[in-house]
Amino acid sequence: MEPMPWDRDAPFVVGNVVRPARRARKPQTGDLAVRFPYPYGAAEYFAPAALVTQPDPDVSSFLLRDARDPHLLVCAVAPDPEDNARYRVTDARHRELGHIHRTPAHKRTIQHTWWIRQSGHPDIVAGYAWAKGTSKDVASRGVSSVGRIVGGVVESAIFGPGDGGSGSTKQNTVTWRADDEVVMTSGYLEGVRAYRPATAWLDRRLAFALAVLRQG
């Protein structure tokens, strides 16, 4: 399958699934990558856009390279040496794009594990359906509201213990907000976890970084 440009304004997934399993058909897989849904006939495919590699399997550090030309770096994700709950995201010229933060364990029953800080904008955070308040509240006390999926691309997400929730497997959607503005949503498409950026100002590379860390 031909690679796609990574800067498309479209839902994306992170994984190795090229064609999802269906009935007796096994899934078709490829390299770990940021992928975009690509309908072909009656089937749904996931075309690669940014190849994901982990130089050291013992370190949560990742390189995302343009699938059309793997010599071109899209961004790098690396732990911040000053804060082990924060990951620095940089571009091909080592310029800082922002940070991905991991929520402290004691707040994960009300706030999603991963959130984004992009310069010039409020913190981009997600809470669970029963939590109240805006993303500003979440940043200060770990509380936020969860909205419905944008655009109807994905319908539900399963929160398990690995996502930092309470251990429930109830199906829901995750919605990241900057104050009251919906910035990104996450759910499942063809059995694969998918993300839909909802604002033009969100740097897609930060969205990719969050998804890669969540996948890892």
Side-chain angles (χ1 to χ4, degrees):
M1 173 159 293
E2 291 296 318
M4 289 187 172
W6 64 265
D7 55 353
R8 299 178 72 238
D9 183 17
F12 69 90
V13 304
V14 172
N16 64 354
V17 175
V18 176
R19 186 180 184 186
R22 180 164 292 182
R23 298 187 178 93
R25 187 190 69 206
K26 293 182 178 180
Q28 179 183 344
T29 60
D31 294 326
L32 180 63
V34 175
R35 297 174 176 273
F36 289 106
Y38 179 79
Y40 184 79
E44 186 87 52
Y45 289 82
F46 295 102
L51 303 176
V52 180
T53 58
Q54 185 176 6
D56 184 342
D58 295 325
V59 179
S60 294
S61 180
F62 302 90
L63 299 176
L64 280 67
R65 298 187 179 277
D66 195 322
R68 297 168 299 171
D69 183 354
H71 293 97
L72 300 178
L73 184 67
V74 174
C75 67
V77 184
D80 190 322
E82 298 180 359
D83 184 349
N84 61 10
R86 182 171 65 187
Y87 294 79
R88 187 169 178 256
V89 185
T90 54
D91 67 9
R93 297 183 179 180
H94 306 292
R95 295 175 299 192
E96 187 171 277
L97 301 172
H99 292 89
I100 308 301
H101 291 254
R102 189 174 64 239
T103 302
H106 69 278
K107 290 186 178 181
R108 291 181 193 168
T109 55
I110 52 177
Q111 181 181 327
H112 194 270
T113 305
W114 300 102
W115 56 279
I116 300 171
R117 177 164 289 167
Q118 181 175 333
S119 180
H121 298 279
D123 291 340
I124 304 166
V125 296
Y128 294 119
W130 50 268
K132 302 296 183 181
T134 67
S135 65
K136 185 179 293 185
D137 299 325
V138 175
S140 62
R141 70 176 190 273
V143 182
S144 178
S145 60
V146 172
R148 296 180 61 83
I149 191 71
V150 175
V153 174
V154 291
E155 295 184 355
S156 65
I158 300 175
F159 299 154
D163 273 329
S166 61
S168 170
T169 58
K170 182 180 178 180
Q171 291 192 340
N172 288 291
T173 296
V174 186
T175 301
W176 283 267
R177 297 175 181 268
D179 288 340
D180 292 323
E181 182 181 11
V182 175
V183 176
M184 184 169 69
T185 50
S186 171
Y188 278 82
L189 177 63
E190 293 285 344
V192 181
R193 183 183 287 154
Y195 299 82
R196 183 184 178 91
T199 63
W201 58 259
L202 173 64
D203 192 311
R204 297 305 188 257
R205 292 165 292 186
L206 293 175
F208 296 163
L210 181 146
V212 167
L213 287 167
R214 192 180 179 200
Q215 179 81 7

